[in-house]
Amino acid sequence: MNRRGGRSDSKQSLDQVSSGFLSNTNEEPSTLVSSSSSGKVSKTLVKSFDSANRNVNSKVVRSRKSRREVEKDEAICINKESNSEALVALTAGFPSDSLKDEEIEAGVVSVVGGIEQCNYILIRNHIITKWRENVSIWLTKDMFVDIIPERCSGLLDSAYNYLLSYGYINFGVALAIKDKIPTRPSKGRVIVIGAGLAGLAAARQLMLFGFEVIVLEGRKRAGGRVYTKKMEGGNKVATADLGGSVLTGTLGNPLGLLARQLSYTLHTVRDQCPLYRADGKPVDEYLDKKVEASYNELLDKASKVRQELSPVISLGEALETLRKDFSVAMNDEEMSLFNWHLANLEYANAGLLSHLSLAFWDQDDPYDMGGDHCFLPGGNGRLVHALAENVPIIFEKTVYAIRYGRDSVKVITAGQLFEGDMALCTVPLGVLKSGSITFIPELPQQKLDTIKRLGFGLLNKVALLFPYVFWDSNVDTFGYVADDSSCRGEFFLFYNYATVAGGPLLLALVAGKAAHKFERMAPTDAVTKVLQILKGIYEPQGINVPKPIQIVFTSWGSDPFSFGSYSNVAVGASGDDYDILAETVGEGRLFFAGEATTRRYPATMHGAFLTGLREAAKMAHHASVRTSHLQVEKKK
């Protein structure tokens, strides 16, 4: 997720991404190149091939290796697409010319670095690419036997098994994948707490691995903070995404892959976002570009100076100081426009700028998946419905306590106890902060400190179903620029959902301080305010704004199953806190997933989904280790 909240949100096409990686189309097929954050091309893998080959040659002379042994130390050539396959792997979250820490821990190669690693990466990237070409099939190892040299069969086993276990291939809701779920579980019992995207992803994956799974959900529905509401009245029907709505960076987004499996077409969010003032006049185009450029320059300056400043300084404090130092937005007209961008920034981070860490607020930006941002016609609830199919979920089960020990986990709800070999807690950070779940024994102090440090902000929405579309249907978003800076986040952005909702629907967003104030506002006052804004924009154009047929409000901050919207890096926190929150406790009995447990993709739907796959792999590993230990004890 691009934390800047820019209207274009750093969208990239595959061609744009490729331009940073493919510096020479005449390079050898086995050559991989990658781009660093500075945009410079890195030839790490090329160098490793060259140096490794020199080492191989010298060893041949000294040790008189057999021809077969020498071949094992030679670089392989699978095809002429290694550069493009490296890009595909990159969008899946893999470095193009090195191993992930996760791979190193999994022991995918015998020695880190050298020819073996280079060959492994080529095989890994090839497998990922082949599955992503057709995500509706079950990819087998046999499909690569004739492609990968026999001398690298061990690396093929290693790459395939790793990608399968950790959910990088053969995941989702395609029929070929659902058919692989065993009819009778053969492994231990797992309790998943929460039926959001993280919980559902983990549940399906664990069922695929052969575990008995039970999901406990406090709400009457699945999806958690992904909630698609059906609205109707006056012969009009529409679906509104009241929670997560935008699929960000669809080049590698696993939810985009689910949409492909289900043959769902995504709607690309168009870049154009006209802004209107309180008097209904469009913001001058020249002034708009000028202020936006100044805003982005200040963010860049803040990034450069933060290393010299105290880690307890907030992003808001730094931006305001820099704004004054460089004389940006020094009149009322420019300042109101500048405040709109600040509201958009608070929306992107679900937090007040005065609470965001200057040092680490954007720590996840290097991991942006690239590609367009999209809406799913019919709502993201369609994905939730597909993921929840045939998953054993017990609704309206509020968890009050989790007791974990060396041998089992017990989850306590009102009047009922569930026991399992392992448990996965996917409740939002807001719930953990509230202390509504008691952990016995208490969570490690490091994890408790992390729960306090990380920020968990708020974004609210108003969904309005109208008799007809009266706004510009050629744009997907438009903004409202408030004169009063204290109200900058109040209905500052509108989503034109008529293109994807099936009816004339607008979503109005409320961010920053306004999002908190909104939850205390009387519904009639909120309706009056949002209609006043819409009338101010359109009636001067001679367009009548009709009375809404139906209106729905969110209040995520007071929702006892979320207590907020999504996480951010608050002052005093860092990306390390996401890793700490993800750590397993209780000797491999209690696990944690959710958007606040991934430092790469926090505050995103796909981030939550990926953590579910991640934890399923960890749980399967711990179960396997325990089984092995038991077998050894029996032999003794």
Side-chain angles (χ1 to χ4, degrees):
M1 178 178 185
N2 186 275
R3 294 284 185 169
R4 290 195 172 201
R7 281 177 272 172
S8 62
D9 277 316
S10 299
K11 297 178 186 178
Q12 294 174 293
S13 67
L14 185 57
D15 291 338
Q16 289 172 312
V17 175
S18 302
S19 65
F21 293 84
L22 305 183
S23 58
N24 183 355
T25 56
N26 294 320
E27 289 177 288
E28 292 298 317
S30 58
T31 302
L32 293 179
V33 295
S34 69
S35 171
S36 65
S37 57
S38 63
K40 295 179 180 178
V41 174
S42 166
K43 305 267 184 164
T44 308
L45 189 58
V46 181
K47 291 178 181 177
S48 65
F49 270 127
D50 292 341
S51 60
N53 276 324
R54 285 196 295 271
N55 291 336
V56 168
N57 292 334
S58 63
K59 288 178 183 177
V60 170
V61 175
R62 293 177 184 176
S63 61
R64 295 185 180 181
K65 288 185 178 181
S66 68
R67 178 175 180 81
R68 185 171 183 81
E69 289 176 312
V70 173
E71 284 179 348
K72 288 184 178 180
D73 291 333
E74 292 178 348
I76 63 172
C77 177
I78 299 174
N79 56 32
K80 296 182 180 181
E81 307 297 328
S82 57
N83 283 327
S84 59
E85 290 182 352
L87 290 177
V88 174
L90 188 76
T91 63
F94 288 89
S96 60
D97 55 6
S98 60
L99 301 178
K100 297 177 68 171
D101 291 342
E102 186 181 74
E103 290 177 287
I104 296 173
E105 292 172 7
V108 295
V109 292
S110 58
V111 179
V112 176
I115 284 295
E116 183 190 32
Q117 175 177 305
C118 295
N119 286 340
Y120 166 84
I121 290 172
L122 288 168
I123 295 170
R124 176 200 71 190
N125 295 352
H126 184 63
I127 295 173
I128 293 171
T129 300
K130 285 303 172 187
W131 187 66
R132 294 206 167 205
E133 286 176 358
N134 185 357
V135 294
S136 294
I137 65 168
W138 179 269
L139 198 70
T140 66
K141 197 184 307 180
D142 291 341
M143 295 177 180
F144 302 95
V145 171
D146 294 334
I147 302 171
I148 306 301
E150 183 181 352
R151 59 189 170 87
C152 292
S153 59
L155 291 179
L156 172 59
D157 290 342
S158 180
Y160 179 86
N161 293 339
Y162 165 77
L163 294 171
L164 179 65
S165 299
Y166 282 79
Y168 293 106
I169 60 172
N170 296 344
F171 68 84
V173 293
L175 182 60
I177 295 166
K178 290 191 289 186
D179 286 345
K180 293 292 182 178
I181 297 176
T183 53
R184 292 185 180 180
S186 58
K187 299 181 181 178
R189 191 181 198 223
V190 176
I191 302 168
V192 177
I193 303 157
L197 288 177
L200 293 175
R204 294 198 74 88
Q205 197 76 342
L206 288 166
M207 289 167 64
L208 186 66
F209 293 161
F211 287 89
E212 178 189 355
V213 177
I214 182 170
V215 181
L216 304 180
E217 170 56 51
R219 306 177 194 273
K220 297 179 181 180
R221 59 172 181 83
R225 286 166 283 167
V226 178
Y227 178 32
T228 302
K229 170 74 173 177
K230 182 179 180 181
M231 300 177 64
E232 55 188 330
N235 296 322
K236 299 294 181 182
V237 179
T239 52
D241 278 319
L242 301 179
S245 53
V246 183
L247 299 184
T248 56
T250 50
L251 277 182
N253 194 316
L255 300 182
L257 300 185
L258 293 187
R260 283 173 55 194
Q261 290 177 338
L262 295 163
S263 299
Y264 293 165
T265 302
L266 298 178
H267 171 81
T268 300
V269 179
R270 291 164 284 191
D271 287 348
Q272 187 182 5
C273 179
L275 301 182
Y276 298 92
R277 296 196 176 277
D279 60 5
K281 294 181 180 178
V283 171
D284 177 73
E285 186 176 351
Y286 170 77
L287 184 65
D288 187 6
K289 290 181 179 179
K290 174 188 173 183
V291 174
E292 184 172 11
S294 298
Y295 159 79
N296 284 319
E297 286 175 10
L298 288 189
L299 282 178
D300 291 337
K301 293 181 187 297
S303 297
K304 292 176 182 177
V305 303
R306 60 185 168 190
Q307 296 178 355
E308 307 165 10
L309 301 176
S310 168
V312 297
I313 293 178
S314 72
L315 175 62
E317 183 182 355
L319 285 177
E320 180 59 16
T321 300
L322 290 169
R323 185 188 70 80
K324 292 177 179 178
D325 288 348
F326 290 92
S327 301
V328 172
M330 299 308 289
N331 60 54
D332 291 344
E333 187 179 19
E334 291 184 355
M335 190 63 213
S336 62
L337 190 53
F338 187 79
N339 269 315
W340 186 90
H341 288 285
L342 296 183
N344 202 28
L345 188 59
E346 290 181 320
Y347 149 58
N349 292 273
L352 306 181
L353 298 186
S354 58
H355 293 175
L356 293 179
S357 166
L358 169 64
F360 302 110
W361 70 278
D362 59 348
Q363 60 85 36
D364 58 311
D365 274 3
Y367 308 111
D368 187 89
M369 286 185 167
D372 293 325
H373 294 347
C374 297
F375 293 142
L376 174 61
N380 295 318
R382 299 172 73 193
L383 298 179
V384 171
H385 178 75
L387 288 168
E389 182 184 12
N390 295 326
V391 173
I393 305 172
I394 305 178
F395 294 103
E396 297 184 85
K397 285 294 179 185
T398 303
V399 172
Y400 295 109
I402 301 173
R403 184 186 294 272
Y404 60 97
R406 294 183 59 183
D407 300 320
S408 66
V409 180
K410 297 177 181 178
V411 179
I412 302 163
T413 66
Q416 198 167 358
L417 184 147
F418 297 86
E419 187 169 3
D421 298 290
M422 296 177 287
L424 173 62
C425 180
T426 72
V427 300
L429 176 59
V431 174
L432 295 177
K433 283 179 174 289
S434 74
S436 61
I437 297 178
T438 301
F439 291 89
I440 308 169
E442 190 172 56
L443 293 174
Q445 190 60 48
Q446 187 182 33
K447 194 179 284 282
L448 292 174
D449 292 342
T450 276
I451 291 171
K452 291 179 181 178
R453 277 195 302 265
L454 278 174
F456 196 69
L458 187 60
L459 172 74
N460 275 310
K461 296 179 181 179
V462 179
L464 304 104
L465 179 64
F466 288 97
Y468 54 87
V469 173
F470 58 86
W471 55 91
D472 185 357
S473 60
N474 294 315
V475 298
D476 290 313
T477 58
F478 61 91
Y480 163 70
V481 180
D483 291 331
D484 185 354
S485 62
S486 65
C487 301
R488 68 189 183 196
E490 191 174 60
F491 312 118
F492 81 103
L493 185 65
F494 290 82
Y495 285 164
N496 165 24
Y497 242 52
T499 54
V500 293
L505 185 76
L506 277 181
L507 285 178
L509 275 57
V510 191
K513 289 182 180 179
H516 295 269
K517 180 182 175 183
F518 175 77
E519 297 203 0
R520 301 187 298 270
M521 187 183 297
T524 52
D525 293 342
V527 173
T528 300
K529 179 66 177 178
V530 72
L531 289 179
Q532 180 184 347
I533 290 171
L534 290 172
K535 289 178 179 179
I537 293 173
Y538 291 103
E539 289 189 348
Q541 303 177 38
I543 299 172
N544 179 56
V545 176
K547 183 179 178 180
I549 297 171
Q550 186 183 9
I551 304 173
V552 177
F553 306 86
T554 67
S555 53
W556 291 106
S558 54
D559 185 327
F561 299 113
S562 62
F563 289 117
S565 299
Y566 41 92
S567 65
N568 55 59
V569 184
V571 173
S574 72
D576 292 340
D577 286 306
Y578 289 112
D579 292 335
I580 295 170
L581 193 57
E583 290 177 356
T584 303
V585 300
E587 299 185 33
R589 295 293 179 182
L590 180 58
F591 301 75
F592 293 83
E595 58 84 14
T597 69
T598 169
R599 73 185 299 161
R600 287 192 171 204
Y601 313 112
T604 63
M605 291 184 288
H606 62 269
F609 182 86
L610 288 171
T611 64
L613 299 182
R614 178 197 70 202
E615 293 307 303
K618 288 166 63 175
M619 297 172 92
H621 171 72
H622 278 276
S624 176
V625 170
R626 277 193 289 268
T627 301
S628 298
H629 287 170
L630 285 174
Q631 290 173 347
V632 170
E633 291 299 318
K634 286 181 179 179
K635 288 181 180 179
K636 286 182 180 180

